[in-house]
């Protein structure tokens, strides 16, 4: 029972970390866009937008990442358990799973929502790469601390 609670806690924290890192990408994307159309942008506006996005977009991203990580990490667990994988460490395998999961979420949110980019940070290649890297960090966190249990 304690193992289940610990793994669940790690899953929640991995999704929180990834959401926390992903939200500023979207906020920065919107701020850059506003600046490009000559809207006055200030540090105060950016910070206020960031806080707003963490409480609104962050919850949505958290739920998406939580569901995606659950599936990705279960698949990774099964693969690692039934196949002898010595090439990469456990934390790196979960990091790869986390990054692939986020990449798939970014692709599927566009494909399933009539080609609409609802995650603004995904509109540029750099934003997509940063989101995927955030998934890598969340997955690495999960795998690193799972390995410590």
């Amino acid at each position: 029972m304690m193992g289940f609670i610990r793994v669940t806690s790690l899953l929640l924290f991995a999704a929180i970390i990834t959401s926390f890192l992903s939200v500023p990408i979207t906020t920065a994307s919107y701020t850059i866009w506003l600046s490009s159309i000559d809207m006055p942008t200030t540090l105060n506006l950016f910070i206020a937008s960031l806080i707003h996005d963490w409480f609104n977009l962050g919850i949505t991203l958290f739920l998406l990442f939580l569901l995606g990580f659950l599936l990705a990490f279960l698949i990774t667990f099964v693969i690692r358990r039934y196949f002898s994988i010595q090439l990469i460490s456990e934390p790196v395998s979960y990091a790869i799973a986390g990054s692939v999961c986020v990449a798939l979420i970014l692709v599927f949110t566009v494909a399933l929502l009539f080609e609409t980019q609802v995650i603004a940070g995904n509109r540029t290649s750099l934003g997509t790469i940063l989101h995927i890297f955030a998934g890598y960090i969340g997955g690495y966190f999960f795998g690193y601390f799972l390995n410590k249990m």
Side-chain angles (χ1 to χ4, degrees):
M1 183 65 177
M2 280 304 284
F4 176 76
I5 293 171
R6 288 180 181 152
V7 171
T8 303
S9 297
L10 288 176
L11 181 66
L12 290 170
F13 280 118
I16 288 169
I17 289 168
T18 305
S19 300
F20 186 80
L21 294 173
S22 291
V23 167
I25 300 164
T26 294
T27 306
S29 175
Y30 277 129
T31 305
I32 292 167
W33 174 73
L34 287 173
S35 180
S36 74
I37 61 170
D38 294 328
M39 287 288 288
T41 55
T42 63
L43 182 60
N44 287 340
L45 175 69
F46 179 77
I47 291 171
S49 297
L50 184 59
I51 291 168
H52 176 269
D53 289 348
W54 268 325
F55 286 107
N56 293 290
L57 175 63
I59 293 169
T60 304
L61 289 178
F62 166 75
L63 294 173
L64 284 171
F65 295 152
L66 182 64
L67 180 61
F69 282 175
L70 176 63
L71 294 172
F73 296 164
L74 275 173
I75 292 168
T76 303
F77 173 77
V78 169
I79 290 171
R80 287 196 65 85
R81 178 154 181 145
Y82 294 106
F83 298 99
S84 178
I85 298 176
Q86 303 299 324
L87 184 61
I88 56 175
S89 68
E90 190 171 12
V92 172
S93 63
Y94 283 103
I96 292 168
S99 61
V100 169
C101 170
V102 171
L104 288 173
I105 288 171
L106 295 175
V107 168
F108 286 137
T109 54
V110 173
L112 296 174
L113 296 172
F114 309 105
E115 300 299 317
T116 304
Q117 291 280 2
V118 293
I119 303 172
N122 189 32
R123 291 182 183 147
T124 65
S125 297
L126 177 61
T128 301
I129 290 167
L130 290 173
H131 279 291
I132 292 169
F133 185 66
Y136 186 91
I137 292 171
Y140 192 87
F141 170 87
F142 181 85
Y144 179 80
F145 285 103
L146 183 67
N147 202 18
K148 298 290 182 194
M149 290 177 28

